[in-house]
Amino acid sequence: MPQETASNSEADYGMTRLDYAKSKGWWVRLYRPGSKKPDASKLFSDSAHNGYEAARIAARTWRDEKMAELDIQPRQRDGNGHFTTYSRNRSGKIGVRLCHDYTADGSISRIYWEAKFMVNGKQRVRSYSVWKYGYECAWRLAIAERQRHDGEPVPDTVPERPDWLVALAVTHGLTL
């Protein structure tokens, strides 16, 4: 059965092990933050590099040279294996995001901060309404919920309100 596994060790940053019936090797892909397309990509097959470990060493060497050449920094991970920064994260904390739901006519029916976390190996979600608690208080509740489960520090500053939320509040005469 074909297998493709990403290595979580710092030494193998950006490297994926390929174990297919006809192809085995190390695939290096380097991305700039926020990019979906790799800036550099190369496969180091075991057969072309005289074995597993030699291919791994060649892949690391090439990766390090490319990272220096392209000025790409490795992304940092927290203790749970998750990245500590994420290009689309606006809350300041991984696992917390601002969400909204739509009605059938396309208007926004609900705005809330959502905290995702793991309990006994299962993902759980808790949400806090912006209408009920206000923008800042709902954010603080979601941040505190996530912090209770991962123990990581919480940000001090409330994220800026997105333009669409400010426009919605002005249109409806609301204070958030």
Side-chain angles (χ1 to χ4, degrees), residues 10 13 67 72-76:
E10 292 297 319
Y13 175 80
M67 285 179 72
I72 295 175
Q73 301 299 316
R75 290 172 61 193
Q76 301 298 314

Side-chain angles (χ1 to χ4, degrees), residues 14-163:
M15 295 170 50
T16 302
R17 178 69 186 164
L18 300 177
D19 276 319
Y20 293 97
K22 294 185 179 183
S23 177
K24 296 183 186 315
W26 291 92
W27 188 13
V28 180
R29 291 172 290 185
L30 300 173
Y31 297 84
R32 291 192 191 280
S35 175
K36 293 183 181 183
K37 182 180 175 188
D39 289 290
S41 177
K42 188 171 180 179
L43 176 64
F44 294 85
S45 69
D46 292 353
S47 60
H49 291 86
N50 297 321
Y52 174 95
E53 197 57 40
R56 187 180 203 177
I57 291 167
R60 283 181 182 166
T61 303
W62 183 85
R63 179 211 50 208
D64 293 344
E65 290 170 2
K66 281 294 181 185
M67 285 179 72
E69 177 186 321
L70 299 171
D71 193 31
I72 295 175
Q73 301 299 316
R75 290 172 61 193
Q76 301 298 314
R77 293 181 185 264
D78 65 10
N80 296 321
H82 301 289
F83 291 115
T84 55
T85 58
Y86 186 57
S87 63
R88 294 184 296 174
N89 184 301
R90 303 285 183 255
S91 71
K93 182 140 181 75
I94 296 293
V96 176
R97 67 186 185 137
L98 182 63
C99 303
H100 56 280
D101 297 335
Y102 293 99
T103 60
D105 68 359
S107 61
I108 293 177
S109 64
R110 188 168 88 113
I111 302 171
Y112 54 97
W113 280 101
E114 176 181 271
K116 288 188 176 185
F117 48 90
M118 299 294 285
V119 175
N120 296 328
K122 296 188 183 213
Q123 187 173 42
R124 300 288 183 235
V125 179
R126 182 99 193 256
S127 61
Y128 299 92
S129 171
V130 170
W131 300 137
K132 182 177 180 179
Y133 298 108
Y135 182 82
E136 183 176 337
C137 185
W139 174 79
R140 290 193 187 283
L141 288 167
I143 291 287
E145 182 70 38
R146 174 67 188 202
Q147 199 269 339
R148 271 194 294 279
H149 295 281
D150 70 6
E152 294 294 315
V154 298
D156 295 328
T157 57
V158 179
E160 299 246 350
R161 288 167 174 79
D163 294 338

